[in-house]
Amino acid sequence: MKGTEILRIVDAIHRDKSIDQNIVFEGIEQAIASAARKHFGEEEEVEVAIDRVSGDAAVSVAGKALDADEIGDLLGRIAAQTAKQVMIQKIREAERDSLHDEYTQLRGQIVNGQIARIEGGGTAAVNLGKVEAILPRGEQIPGEQHHVGERVRSVVMEVRKAGSRVKIILSRNHPELVRRLFEIEIPEVAEHVIEVRSLSREAGYRSKVAVSCYDPKIDCVGACVGVRGARIRNIVEELAGERIDIVRWNDSLQVLVPNALQPAEVEDVILCPQLGKVIVLVQDDQLSLAIGKKGQNVRLASKLVGWDIQVLTQERLDVQIDKSLAGFTQVPHITDELAENLVAQGFFTFDELSIIEPDQLAEMGGLTEEQVDVIVAYADVESLKAEKQEKEDRDRRRKAAALGEVAESNKASAPPETTEAAKPEGDDSESDKTSSPEGESAAESTPESESEAATTDDAPAAEEVAETPVADAKTDSEMEVKIEETESAASAVEVEVAEETKPVEAAAEATETETSEESSESDATSEADSAEPEIVEETPAGSSEGRS
């Protein structure tokens, strides 16, 4: 093999694969050594060296140097195939290492790619040109749907070697994506005239960005928004409509916290350095706006400033102070003065008191080490009790909400109650118009397929109503409704049976009087029918056609 050919091969691989020339030379040396061992035997000591300038190969076996012809004979067809496989493997490893180093430097940077395919579970394979990356479902913006061929922007989250390949994990819900989009869309940010000082994000919903400017003549917030919102609109569209709040950074928490809680108006800010907490006082009408939907606004503001933020009204703060003072004064070795000092420092609960530094507590109250240990131990116990009680209350509320949902579901799925038997259209007979409460209950509880009339005796009628079968109900809900209706009908019959005789006798007397006065046989017959409710009440709904 001529040295010029080796140099040409090395240069071509270096240009095409972006692999260092020394790595290619080492691969060729290993390939020739492998072929020599295959020819002379594995136990032979083979040394191969290629000149980096001329490309000439020097091969020695067991200390004996081989000339060019022997090297040519050495690299026969089979040996050359072995050398080729070794070279391919070496080139692949070198290419993998090169890609790994390249994308490791791009970690946290934004890259452009095209969706190659959508795999199971919503994971998207993104073609980045040299390599294919993975955009997992969990790293996508919630509610976002990708399609094959779509171009996406994402940040490189993780790069690792996987065999002979490089595995690259992308993300679109990481806060760094917002920062990189600001650098792309806003030239002042890219030129570091405007600096993104802090950033908090809940992907797909809302982000807060705190910016500052080194040039006092430039409005950092206005520059980020752009003319008529042109700059920020491009970022919002890239983030699938995610809301972005741009606030002005300030080194003072007294100014930064109200800015972070915008659009809510803040009355006062109380700092609690020992707890890393900020108490924010707002008006009653600003409380829900400051907290935000599901606590989103105050949560993002807390991440933005790096302090815990507690939003209260003045009335709630007063109630909390009184409650904390009453609780702390019950702790052994804590005086009223020390309790007021603890509350002034922002310690409102036993949980906060349990994490106080013993040295600080001893200094605040002039206590000994044993007294401090007693106070901390007492606070730990009370904190666990409060946590347990809170968990029980939360479980109770959850169970109550679940029962309410089940009740609403059952109520919605239950069929409408039937209060009277169906009547055929056009039936004007007095017997259909006249009905008693007993007849209505019997019509509700008696199946439609039953065609026999009940006996005229009242007590057996009540027993028949109470024993009406419900096995033919189609669903459990219908069965329960019918059972309840049957029980109510039976109780109604028992109450009304006692009063049944008087209306019947009065109706009979009225009938005799009207018969003698009117002397009309047809009218008397009609009136007599209305005075006999037993026949109508015991007529089932299914026999309405026979009556008509």
Side-chain angles (χ1 to χ4, degrees):
M1 180 179 292
K2 296 182 179 180
T4 55
E5 294 180 0
I6 294 178
L7 293 177
R8 181 176 56 81
I9 293 173
V10 170
D11 185 65
I13 295 175
H14 169 69
R15 293 176 180 273
D16 295 341
K17 304 293 184 179
S18 299
I19 301 175
D20 186 49
Q21 291 185 356
N22 289 329
I23 296 177
V24 181
F25 278 118
E26 291 176 0
I28 297 175
E29 291 173 350
Q30 292 179 7
I32 296 175
S34 175
R37 291 191 186 96
K38 193 174 185 64
H39 181 77
F40 293 103
E42 296 293 337
E43 67 280 358
E44 295 293 337
E45 182 179 355
V46 179
E47 295 181 1
V48 180
I50 298 178
D51 188 274
R52 300 298 192 261
V53 179
S54 62
D56 296 332
V59 181
S60 62
V61 178
K64 180 182 178 181
L66 302 180
D67 55 18
D69 295 336
E70 290 177 336
I71 295 176
D73 295 338
L74 174 64
L75 297 177
R77 186 176 63 85
I78 298 177
Q81 186 68 21
T82 303
K84 178 181 178 182
Q85 294 176 357
V86 173
M87 274 295 302
I88 292 175
Q89 181 67 22
K90 189 66 177 179
I91 290 173
R92 286 178 178 174
E93 293 178 358
E95 186 177 7
R96 179 201 60 186
D97 295 340
S98 175
L99 289 174
H100 181 271
D101 295 340
E102 178 182 354
Y103 282 94
T104 299
Q105 296 177 359
L106 293 177
R107 184 177 298 174
Q109 300 294 326
I110 195 168
V111 292
N112 295 324
Q114 187 175 15
I115 301 295
R117 63 184 180 277
I118 304 295
E119 299 177 351
T123 301
V126 183
N127 185 9
L128 300 180
K130 295 181 180 180
V131 67
E132 195 173 80
I134 298 175
L135 180 61
R137 183 62 182 173
E139 296 294 337
Q140 299 176 19
I141 298 176
E144 190 178 36
Q145 298 292 334
H146 296 289
H147 307 283
V148 177
E150 178 185 359
R151 298 199 65 85
V152 294
R153 288 176 175 177
S154 53
V155 294
V156 179
M157 286 298 301
E158 183 180 356
V159 182
R160 62 174 181 264
K161 298 178 182 178
S164 61
R165 302 176 57 187
V166 178
K167 190 173 184 179
I168 301 174
I169 308 298
L170 305 179
S171 175
R172 280 181 57 81
N173 63 4
H174 197 274
E176 282 298 318
L177 178 62
V178 180
R179 186 187 300 272
R180 302 308 172 192
L181 289 175
F182 265 72
E183 294 176 356
I184 293 175
E185 299 294 340
I186 303 171
E188 290 84 354
V189 176
E191 297 171 358
H192 301 288
V193 177
I194 297 176
E195 182 182 359
V196 177
R197 302 293 296 272
S198 181
L199 192 150
S200 61
R201 183 189 183 197
E202 290 187 2
Y205 301 100
R206 193 174 183 180
S207 296
K208 284 183 177 289
V209 183
V211 296
S212 63
C213 184
Y214 296 104
D215 190 348
K217 298 180 181 179
I218 298 178
D219 180 13
C220 55
V221 176
C224 293
V225 174
V227 180
R228 298 182 180 179
R231 291 179 173 179
I232 197 65
R233 189 183 302 115
N234 295 334
I235 301 176
V236 171
E237 291 176 356
E238 179 63 33
L239 298 177
E242 182 177 317
R243 180 180 176 182
I244 299 178
D245 296 341
I246 303 176
V247 300
R248 198 180 306 275
W249 176 267
N250 195 293
D251 293 332
S252 174
L253 287 176
Q254 298 285 350
V255 179
L256 179 61
V257 172
N259 291 345
L261 286 174
Q262 291 178 357
E265 297 180 1
V266 176
E267 283 191 334
D268 193 10
V269 176
I270 304 174
L271 302 181
C272 305
Q274 293 187 7
L275 292 173
K277 182 176 70 172
V278 179
I279 299 175
V280 177
L281 298 181
V282 297
Q283 292 287 348
D284 291 339
D285 58 346
Q286 297 291 315
L287 182 61
S288 60
L289 186 61
I291 296 175
K293 184 178 180 181
K294 298 181 180 180
Q296 187 181 76
N297 191 51
V298 66
R299 187 167 55 251
L300 289 174
S302 177
K303 293 179 182 178
L304 191 72
V305 302
W307 286 54
D308 293 335
I309 298 178
Q310 186 176 4
V311 182
L312 297 172
T313 61
Q314 186 64 50
E315 293 77 7
R316 293 188 180 184
L317 179 61
D318 296 339
V319 171
Q320 182 64 52
I321 290 175
D322 295 339
K323 182 179 178 181
S324 301
L325 287 174
F328 288 163
T329 52
Q330 303 297 324
V331 181
H333 309 301
I334 290 185
T335 61
D336 294 342
E337 182 180 358
L338 179 57
E340 292 179 358
N341 195 4
L342 288 172
V343 173
Q345 294 295 328
F347 293 91
F348 289 160
T349 64
F350 286 107
D351 185 28
E352 295 174 343
L353 182 61
S354 63
I355 62 175
I356 190 173
E357 293 293 336
D359 297 339
Q360 295 179 354
L361 182 58
E363 183 179 355
M364 291 172 61
L367 304 174
T368 63
E369 184 177 352
E370 291 78 9
Q371 292 175 337
V372 170
D373 294 338
V374 171
I375 294 175
V376 173
Y378 185 91
D380 286 334
V381 174
E382 293 297 326
S383 175
L384 292 176
K385 289 181 180 179
E387 184 179 355
K388 183 179 180 181
Q389 183 64 33
E390 183 180 357
K391 183 179 179 181
E392 292 177 355
D393 295 342
R394 185 167 56 251
D395 294 340
R396 192 180 300 110
R397 289 193 299 268
R398 187 182 297 111
K399 290 180 180 179
L403 290 176
E405 292 178 358
V406 171
E408 291 293 335
S409 177
N410 292 339
K411 184 178 180 180
S413 61
E417 296 183 359
T418 305
T419 57
E420 59 182 28
K423 298 180 181 180
E425 297 181 359
D427 189 1
D428 298 329
S429 63
E430 291 295 334
S431 61
D432 291 336
K433 294 180 181 178
T434 306
S435 61
S436 66
E438 295 88 347
E440 293 178 359
S441 301
E444 292 176 1
S445 59
T446 305
E448 295 182 358
S449 60
E450 185 178 355
S451 60
E452 295 182 358
T455 60
T456 57
D457 191 29
D458 292 335
E463 295 177 358
E464 180 182 355
V465 172
E467 296 174 358
T468 301
V470 294
D472 294 335
K474 296 182 180 180
T475 60
D476 294 338
S477 60
E478 294 177 352
M479 183 180 296
E480 295 174 358
V481 171
K482 289 192 175 183
I483 290 174
E484 294 175 358
E485 293 174 353
T486 303
E487 294 175 354
S488 61
S491 61
V493 169
E494 292 175 359
V495 173
E496 293 172 352
V497 163
E499 299 178 359
E500 185 73 23
T501 306
K502 294 180 180 180
V504 172
E505 292 176 356
E509 292 176 0
T511 303
E512 291 176 0
T513 304
E514 290 175 0
T515 302
S516 60
E517 290 177 356
E518 295 176 2
S519 67
S520 174
E521 184 176 358
S522 60
D523 295 337
T525 303
S526 175
E527 303 248 343
D529 291 338
S530 64
E532 296 177 358
E534 296 85 355
I535 299 176
V536 176
E537 72 181 27
E538 296 165 356
T539 302
S543 59
S544 59
E545 295 182 359
R547 292 200 306 273
S548 61

